[in-house]
Amino acid sequence: MGVITGKLNYTARPILKKVMHESKWNKLFIIAHRRMGKTYSLVAEMAKRVLDDNRGDGQYLFLSPEKAQTIRNIGGYFNTIAGPFIRKNDKTAGEIVMINGSKIFYGGARTAESLRGSYLDGVVVDEASQVPDEVFNEIIFYALKNDQRGDGWVAMAGTARVDDDYKLYRMYQTFKKDPEWTCIKLGAMESGVFSPEQIRQYKKENLQNFISRGQSEREAEIKFNVEFLCDFSCVEEEKPVLGAIFEKELTTLYNSKRMIKAKDAEKIIPKYSASRERYACFDLGDENYTAFWVVQEGNDRAIVTDCYWNHHKPLTHYWDTLKGMGITKVVLPHDASRKEKESYLTIAQLFQRAGFEVFQLKRTAKLVQLDLARKFMENCWVLDAAFPGVIRLGKYAYRYNKITHEYDLPPQKRDEVSDVADAFMYTAQFIAKRDVKKLIALRNEERYNDKRNRVYDTCGSDLLFGLNKRIGG
């Protein structure tokens, strides 16, 4: 393959030229403000790298959330920037063939699905927070790994948004800890795209627009700071984020003297005893995040002593953690009655087999759980080991509805924030003694009938765990 001559029809912004086009990177993550031109620059960077590939069989992917929008915009961008170097641009299929034989696929998440099992030499993921995590984790990650061709490069980018529960920023914080990633955050004050006067005028117009739609001045200012200035101080601080469900209660808790260090508990909490029985109240994630809070029933009010969460860990990991804490009593949600994979036992039964005394909650309406959690938060003590969990409760926020301009309850999802919040609501339900049942202990003489999936005692009577639970003790 000969050397390709000619220039791309593209002039980079100075800041993007420095951080994207001239710096050496193999993994790049960018958060940029609105109207930064990052998508156009990502197309140019991909075109440049594709044309530098002289192997003749390169395969590349440009991925965005929506296929129709990607084909309409990205296909046109490639024509504008690299038109003379394109042999074929099929916008219907979302495929470009360059003059050096390399192919560029572009489209939505299903485009990546069609490449499962293939190889990729380079990938751009635009608006990364809106692309499902499994697309990157299950398809792109493996497609970029290639022993013969060498690992491919990847660039992920997005526009800062409040409406996606700050997912893009959390991704940025995760990748920033990995030395293999180059992470850039470009707000309007740093990019040089707008003058200070233009920024002030834009802020004034946006605040007026947000407030006219029923948002508070604080909500409007946070939205502007996040989406235009890429200022995430509202997330980094301990105070609740915009639209936090427990904002009022957490503000009261932070201002109270009920968040204390464990070493000072005996001095401050009346009749406190560290040896008093503790309960671990769980929210169970199926192969995702699992979280639990540790609570004691005090004389005048309950004491939250710890909070723990992790993900992609087997139940044995949590059992070992509890035993290391010296905890023998657990509170499980209603869905602990489901069968564990490759087992004839429910999750509740597995906890019993591991030596724990199990209490199980009945299904309760979400609004009732929220009310119980608010009342619990207004009265409990919190020790310092549980402070990280309290901070995450401040990130549990209503989802802004663009149609009604109101805040709705957040959708059910599996991340550390929602699981920590759910576990806290189960803790509050347990402390309130609302629909709690203690499971009877399994007996040594019980045997299992695999076909009917039931538990029998020696007399032959059924013990239908998960259906008819008896209260013991």
Side-chain angles (χ1 to χ4, degrees), residues 98-120:
M98 305 296 282
I99 60 175
N100 63 355
S102 294
K103 293 181 180 180
I104 302 173
F105 306 100
Y106 58 96
R110 290 186 179 180
T111 302
E113 186 71 33
S114 66
L115 296 174
R116 188 185 289 270
S118 184
Y119 69 88
L120 291 171

PDB file of all heavy atoms in Angstrom, residues 98-120:
ATOM      1  N   MET A  98     -12.485   3.235   2.667  1.00  0.00           N
ATOM      2  CA  MET A  98     -11.491   4.252   2.324  1.00  0.00           C
ATOM      3  C   MET A  98     -10.626   3.755   1.164  1.00  0.00           C
ATOM      4  O   MET A  98     -10.626   2.568   0.821  1.00  0.00           O
ATOM      5  CB  MET A  98     -10.623   4.563   3.544  1.00  0.00           C
ATOM      6  CG  MET A  98     -11.408   4.967   4.781  1.00  0.00           C
ATOM      7  SD  MET A  98     -12.334   6.514   4.588  1.00  0.00           S
ATOM      8  CE  MET A  98     -11.019   7.715   4.786  1.00  0.00           C
ATOM      9  N   ILE A  99      -9.876   4.657   0.585  1.00  0.00           N
ATOM     10  CA  ILE A  99      -9.062   4.299  -0.584  1.00  0.00           C
ATOM     11  C   ILE A  99      -7.923   3.355  -0.234  1.00  0.00           C
ATOM     12  O   ILE A  99      -7.338   2.730  -1.118  1.00  0.00           O
ATOM     13  CB  ILE A  99      -8.497   5.564  -1.275  1.00  0.00           C
ATOM     14  CG1 ILE A  99      -7.617   6.351  -0.313  1.00  0.00           C
ATOM     15  CG2 ILE A  99      -9.620   6.429  -1.824  1.00  0.00           C
ATOM     16  CD1 ILE A  99      -6.927   7.538  -0.983  1.00  0.00           C
ATOM     17  N   ASN A 100      -7.591   3.233   1.056  1.00  0.00           N
ATOM     18  CA  ASN A 100      -6.538   2.283   1.442  1.00  0.00           C
ATOM     19  C   ASN A 100      -7.109   0.916   1.815  1.00  0.00           C
ATOM     20  O   ASN A 100      -6.388   0.042   2.299  1.00  0.00           O
ATOM     21  CB  ASN A 100      -5.706   2.834   2.593  1.00  0.00           C
ATOM     22  CG  ASN A 100      -6.532   3.047   3.858  1.00  0.00           C
ATOM     23  OD1 ASN A 100      -7.749   2.879   3.862  1.00  0.00           O
ATOM     24  ND2 ASN A 100      -5.863   3.443   4.934  1.00  0.00           N
ATOM     25  N   GLY A 101      -8.418   0.723   1.592  1.00  0.00           N
ATOM     26  CA  GLY A 101      -9.044  -0.568   1.856  1.00  0.00           C
ATOM     27  C   GLY A 101      -9.638  -0.714   3.246  1.00  0.00           C
ATOM     28  O   GLY A 101     -10.368  -1.678   3.515  1.00  0.00           O
ATOM     29  N   SER A 102      -9.348   0.201   4.153  1.00  0.00           N
ATOM     30  CA  SER A 102      -9.896   0.129   5.501  1.00  0.00           C
ATOM     31  C   SER A 102     -11.393   0.435   5.482  1.00  0.00           C
ATOM     32  O   SER A 102     -11.877   1.211   4.652  1.00  0.00           O
ATOM     33  CB  SER A 102      -9.176   1.112   6.434  1.00  0.00           C
ATOM     34  OG  SER A 102      -7.823   0.740   6.607  1.00  0.00           O
ATOM     35  N   LYS A 103     -12.121  -0.158   6.430  1.00  0.00           N
ATOM     36  CA  LYS A 103     -13.560   0.052   6.534  1.00  0.00           C
ATOM     37  C   LYS A 103     -13.899   0.749   7.849  1.00  0.00           C
ATOM     38  O   LYS A 103     -13.290   0.467   8.890  1.00  0.00           O
ATOM     39  CB  LYS A 103     -14.310  -1.280   6.467  1.00  0.00           C
ATOM     40  CG  LYS A 103     -14.216  -1.982   5.123  1.00  0.00           C
ATOM     41  CD  LYS A 103     -15.008  -3.292   5.132  1.00  0.00           C
ATOM     42  CE  LYS A 103     -14.925  -3.996   3.777  1.00  0.00           C
ATOM     43  NZ  LYS A 103     -15.691  -5.268   3.783  1.00  0.00           N
ATOM     44  N   ILE A 104     -14.863   1.653   7.769  1.00  0.00           N
ATOM     45  CA  ILE A 104     -15.384   2.330   8.961  1.00  0.00           C
ATOM     46  C   ILE A 104     -16.877   2.017   9.053  1.00  0.00           C
ATOM     47  O   ILE A 104     -17.630   2.333   8.139  1.00  0.00           O
ATOM     48  CB  ILE A 104     -15.181   3.852   8.891  1.00  0.00           C
ATOM     49  CG1 ILE A 104     -13.695   4.195   8.738  1.00  0.00           C
ATOM     50  CG2 ILE A 104     -15.754   4.523  10.142  1.00  0.00           C
ATOM     51  CD1 ILE A 104     -13.441   5.673   8.491  1.00  0.00           C
ATOM     52  N   PHE A 105     -17.270   1.386  10.144  1.00  0.00           N
ATOM     53  CA  PHE A 105     -18.687   1.133  10.395  1.00  0.00           C
ATOM     54  C   PHE A 105     -19.206   2.227  11.328  1.00  0.00           C
ATOM     55  O   PHE A 105     -18.525   2.602  12.282  1.00  0.00           O
ATOM     56  CB  PHE A 105     -18.884  -0.240  11.031  1.00  0.00           C
ATOM     57  CG  PHE A 105     -18.267  -1.365  10.252  1.00  0.00           C
ATOM     58  CD1 PHE A 105     -17.038  -1.903  10.623  1.00  0.00           C
ATOM     59  CD2 PHE A 105     -18.904  -1.882   9.129  1.00  0.00           C
ATOM     60  CE1 PHE A 105     -16.458  -2.934   9.907  1.00  0.00           C
ATOM     61  CE2 PHE A 105     -18.338  -2.921   8.402  1.00  0.00           C
ATOM     62  CZ  PHE A 105     -17.114  -3.443   8.780  1.00  0.00           C
ATOM     63  N   TYR A 106     -20.396   2.716  11.086  1.00  0.00           N
ATOM     64  CA  TYR A 106     -20.953   3.737  11.981  1.00  0.00           C
ATOM     65  C   TYR A 106     -22.446   3.509  12.157  1.00  0.00           C
ATOM     66  O   TYR A 106     -23.145   3.062  11.248  1.00  0.00           O
ATOM     67  CB  TYR A 106     -20.662   5.152  11.479  1.00  0.00           C
ATOM     68  CG  TYR A 106     -21.159   5.483  10.087  1.00  0.00           C
ATOM     69  CD1 TYR A 106     -22.376   6.136   9.904  1.00  0.00           C
ATOM     70  CD2 TYR A 106     -20.399   5.179   8.950  1.00  0.00           C
ATOM     71  CE1 TYR A 106     -22.828   6.465   8.627  1.00  0.00           C
ATOM     72  CE2 TYR A 106     -20.834   5.501   7.683  1.00  0.00           C
ATOM     73  CZ  TYR A 106     -22.056   6.149   7.527  1.00  0.00           C
ATOM     74  OH  TYR A 106     -22.512   6.474   6.273  1.00  0.00           O
ATOM     75  N   GLY A 107     -22.919   3.770  13.383  1.00  0.00           N
ATOM     76  CA  GLY A 107     -24.325   3.538  13.679  1.00  0.00           C
ATOM     77  C   GLY A 107     -24.575   3.499  15.169  1.00  0.00           C
ATOM     78  O   GLY A 107     -23.790   4.015  15.976  1.00  0.00           O
ATOM     79  N   GLY A 108     -25.693   2.865  15.586  1.00  0.00           N
ATOM     80  CA  GLY A 108     -26.063   2.769  16.986  1.00  0.00           C
ATOM     81  C   GLY A 108     -25.581   1.475  17.617  1.00  0.00           C
ATOM     82  O   GLY A 108     -24.714   0.784  17.079  1.00  0.00           O
ATOM     83  N   ALA A 109     -26.168   1.134  18.769  1.00  0.00           N
ATOM     84  CA  ALA A 109     -25.707  -0.027  19.533  1.00  0.00           C
ATOM     85  C   ALA A 109     -25.835  -1.326  18.733  1.00  0.00           C
ATOM     86  O   ALA A 109     -25.018  -2.229  18.872  1.00  0.00           O
ATOM     87  CB  ALA A 109     -26.492  -0.133  20.836  1.00  0.00           C
ATOM     88  N   ARG A 110     -26.865  -1.423  17.874  1.00  0.00           N
ATOM     89  CA  ARG A 110     -27.036  -2.647  17.090  1.00  0.00           C
ATOM     90  C   ARG A 110     -25.924  -2.836  16.068  1.00  0.00           C
ATOM     91  O   ARG A 110     -25.636  -3.957  15.660  1.00  0.00           O
ATOM     92  CB  ARG A 110     -28.391  -2.623  16.392  1.00  0.00           C
ATOM     93  CG  ARG A 110     -29.571  -2.771  17.346  1.00  0.00           C
ATOM     94  CD  ARG A 110     -30.885  -2.883  16.606  1.00  0.00           C
ATOM     95  NE  ARG A 110     -32.000  -3.052  17.518  1.00  0.00           N
ATOM     96  CZ  ARG A 110     -33.265  -3.177  17.127  1.00  0.00           C
ATOM     97  NH1 ARG A 110     -33.559  -3.159  15.828  1.00  0.00           N
ATOM     98  NH2 ARG A 110     -34.221  -3.309  18.026  1.00  0.00           N
ATOM     99  N   THR A 111     -25.322  -1.741  15.653  1.00  0.00           N
ATOM    100  CA  THR A 111     -24.179  -1.844  14.741  1.00  0.00           C
ATOM    101  C   THR A 111     -23.040  -2.587  15.423  1.00  0.00           C
ATOM    102  O   THR A 111     -22.380  -3.444  14.823  1.00  0.00           O
ATOM    103  CB  THR A 111     -23.708  -0.441  14.306  1.00  0.00           C
ATOM    104  OG1 THR A 111     -24.799   0.248  13.684  1.00  0.00           O
ATOM    105  CG2 THR A 111     -22.545  -0.541  13.343  1.00  0.00           C
ATOM    106  N   ALA A 112     -22.810  -2.263  16.699  1.00  0.00           N
ATOM    107  CA  ALA A 112     -21.770  -2.969  17.458  1.00  0.00           C
ATOM    108  C   ALA A 112     -22.143  -4.439  17.623  1.00  0.00           C
ATOM    109  O   ALA A 112     -21.291  -5.332  17.539  1.00  0.00           O
ATOM    110  CB  ALA A 112     -21.579  -2.309  18.819  1.00  0.00           C
ATOM    111  N   GLU A 113     -23.427  -4.701  17.836  1.00  0.00           N
ATOM    112  CA  GLU A 113     -23.890  -6.079  18.011  1.00  0.00           C
ATOM    113  C   GLU A 113     -23.568  -6.923  16.778  1.00  0.00           C
ATOM    114  O   GLU A 113     -23.202  -8.091  16.897  1.00  0.00           O
ATOM    115  CB  GLU A 113     -25.397  -6.079  18.273  1.00  0.00           C
ATOM    116  CG  GLU A 113     -25.973  -7.431  18.623  1.00  0.00           C
ATOM    117  CD  GLU A 113     -25.557  -7.913  19.997  1.00  0.00           C
ATOM    118  OE1 GLU A 113     -25.389  -7.070  20.889  1.00  0.00           O
ATOM    119  OE2 GLU A 113     -25.383  -9.142  20.159  1.00  0.00           O
ATOM    120  N   SER A 114     -23.673  -6.327  15.599  1.00  0.00           N
ATOM    121  CA  SER A 114     -23.402  -7.068  14.369  1.00  0.00           C
ATOM    122  C   SER A 114     -21.923  -7.397  14.207  1.00  0.00           C
ATOM    123  O   SER A 114     -21.558  -8.240  13.393  1.00  0.00           O
ATOM    124  CB  SER A 114     -23.884  -6.258  13.152  1.00  0.00           C
ATOM    125  OG  SER A 114     -23.113  -5.070  12.994  1.00  0.00           O
ATOM    126  N   LEU A 115     -21.070  -6.718  14.979  1.00  0.00           N
ATOM    127  CA  LEU A 115     -19.629  -6.953  14.888  1.00  0.00           C
ATOM    128  C   LEU A 115     -19.127  -7.896  15.972  1.00  0.00           C
ATOM    129  O   LEU A 115     -17.924  -8.072  16.128  1.00  0.00           O
ATOM    130  CB  LEU A 115     -18.878  -5.615  14.987  1.00  0.00           C
ATOM    131  CG  LEU A 115     -19.130  -4.621  13.847  1.00  0.00           C
ATOM    132  CD1 LEU A 115     -18.458  -3.292  14.137  1.00  0.00           C
ATOM    133  CD2 LEU A 115     -18.629  -5.180  12.525  1.00  0.00           C
ATOM    134  N   ARG A 116     -20.055  -8.481  16.720  1.00  0.00           N
ATOM    135  CA  ARG A 116     -19.658  -9.406  17.781  1.00  0.00           C
ATOM    136  C   ARG A 116     -18.840 -10.563  17.189  1.00  0.00           C
ATOM    137  O   ARG A 116     -19.248 -11.204  16.224  1.00  0.00           O
ATOM    138  CB  ARG A 116     -20.905  -9.958  18.480  1.00  0.00           C
ATOM    139  CG  ARG A 116     -20.604 -10.772  19.727  1.00  0.00           C
ATOM    140  CD  ARG A 116     -21.882 -11.378  20.278  1.00  0.00           C
ATOM    141  NE  ARG A 116     -22.753 -10.385  20.858  1.00  0.00           N
ATOM    142  CZ  ARG A 116     -22.725 -10.007  22.128  1.00  0.00           C
ATOM    143  NH1 ARG A 116     -21.847 -10.541  22.946  1.00  0.00           N
ATOM    144  NH2 ARG A 116     -23.582  -9.106  22.581  1.00  0.00           N
ATOM    145  N   GLY A 117     -17.677 -10.804  17.763  1.00  0.00           N
ATOM    146  CA  GLY A 117     -16.803 -11.863  17.282  1.00  0.00           C
ATOM    147  C   GLY A 117     -15.803 -11.405  16.248  1.00  0.00           C
ATOM    148  O   GLY A 117     -14.909 -12.162  15.878  1.00  0.00           O
ATOM    149  N   SER A 118     -15.941 -10.174  15.750  1.00  0.00           N
ATOM    150  CA  SER A 118     -15.003  -9.650  14.761  1.00  0.00           C
ATOM    151  C   SER A 118     -13.881  -8.878  15.468  1.00  0.00           C
ATOM    152  O   SER A 118     -13.847  -8.793  16.691  1.00  0.00           O
ATOM    153  CB  SER A 118     -15.749  -8.740  13.779  1.00  0.00           C
ATOM    154  OG  SER A 118     -14.882  -8.301  12.755  1.00  0.00           O
ATOM    155  N   TYR A 119     -12.966  -8.326  14.690  1.00  0.00           N
ATOM    156  CA  TYR A 119     -11.889  -7.522  15.269  1.00  0.00           C
ATOM    157  C   TYR A 119     -12.093  -6.059  14.912  1.00  0.00           C
ATOM    158  O   TYR A 119     -12.720  -5.722  13.900  1.00  0.00           O
ATOM    159  CB  TYR A 119     -10.519  -8.001  14.783  1.00  0.00           C
ATOM    160  CG  TYR A 119     -10.249  -7.741  13.307  1.00  0.00           C
ATOM    161  CD1 TYR A 119      -9.696  -6.532  12.883  1.00  0.00           C
ATOM    162  CD2 TYR A 119     -10.531  -8.705  12.347  1.00  0.00           C
ATOM    163  CE1 TYR A 119      -9.459  -6.293  11.533  1.00  0.00           C
ATOM    164  CE2 TYR A 119     -10.301  -8.477  10.999  1.00  0.00           C
ATOM    165  CZ  TYR A 119      -9.768  -7.263  10.591  1.00  0.00           C
ATOM    166  OH  TYR A 119      -9.537  -7.014   9.266  1.00  0.00           O
ATOM    167  N   LEU A 120     -11.563  -5.186  15.746  1.00  0.00           N
ATOM    168  CA  LEU A 120     -11.603  -3.749  15.494  1.00  0.00           C
ATOM    169  C   LEU A 120     -10.231  -3.162  15.792  1.00  0.00           C
ATOM    170  O   LEU A 120      -9.602  -3.517  16.800  1.00  0.00           O
ATOM    171  CB  LEU A 120     -12.670  -3.072  16.356  1.00  0.00           C
ATOM    172  CG  LEU A 120     -14.137  -3.384  16.026  1.00  0.00           C
ATOM    173  CD1 LEU A 120     -15.057  -2.816  17.091  1.00  0.00           C
ATOM    174  CD2 LEU A 120     -14.505  -2.822  14.656  1.00  0.00           C
TER     175      LEU A 120
END
